[in-house]
Amino acid sequence: MNGVNDIIPVTMEQFLPAVIQFKMDGWRLVQICASRLPGQYELSYSFSNAYDLWTLRLTVEEETSVSSITQIYPCAFLQENEVSELFGVKIENIQQDYKHKLYRIDRDAPFKEKG
């Protein structure tokens, strides 16, 4: 019962069409993860179907806005709020946007590098 576990680098233009295709093909959203690169964010969106796990890897400049996927996967709202609040990723049009009030934290975007 070994499944496929693959990371697929995508551009901003490929991102939403790929997410829509996962949804149409019956894949479920497993997790959204952010990490920092110098002046950039690396966003990983993982999807599962049976024993397969595929991750869309989107790398964006720090000031680039990313479209929310909550219109496609409503359950993404918590993870998108978390990525936005903790890392400072600019995610547009989150349905159920907590506007940086998801966590009680001492400072804005604590996982974002301060210059």
Side-chain angles (χ1 to χ4, degrees):
M1 289 194 218
N2 292 334
V4 175
N5 184 353
D6 203 1
I7 297 173
I8 306 159
V10 293
T11 64
M12 190 68 80
E13 293 76 26
Q14 297 168 322
F15 174 61
L16 284 179
V19 172
I20 291 167
Q21 191 64 55
F22 276 120
K23 181 69 172 186
M24 289 173 48
D25 292 343
W27 291 66
R28 67 184 181 92
L29 176 68
V30 175
Q31 66 89 32
I32 301 170
C33 179
S35 61
R36 294 282 302 150
L37 298 172
Q40 297 179 315
Y41 295 110
E42 185 177 80
L43 304 173
S44 298
Y45 294 75
S46 297
F47 301 87
S48 176
N49 190 347
Y51 294 103
D52 295 336
L53 181 71
W54 287 15
T55 300
L56 297 178
R57 178 74 45 83
L58 179 64
T59 303
V60 297
E61 297 299 316
E62 190 173 287
E63 295 305 316
T64 300
S65 294
V66 177
S67 293
S68 171
I69 66 168
T70 54
Q71 295 83 0
I72 305 159
Y73 286 95
C75 62
F77 80 97
L78 281 174
Q79 295 173 68
E80 288 185 339
N81 274 282
E82 181 178 76
V83 165
S84 176
E85 187 169 332
L86 297 179
F87 286 87
V89 177
K90 296 175 192 244
I91 300 182
E92 294 181 334
N93 302 316
I94 302 174
Q95 307 224 340
Q96 296 184 5
D97 190 343
Y98 281 74
K99 304 200 183 302
H100 296 272
K101 300 291 184 213
L102 179 64
Y103 293 111
R104 293 180 183 177
I105 51 180
D106 293 343
R107 61 187 172 113
D108 289 341
F111 300 141
K112 181 179 182 178
E113 295 175 352
K114 300 295 180 183

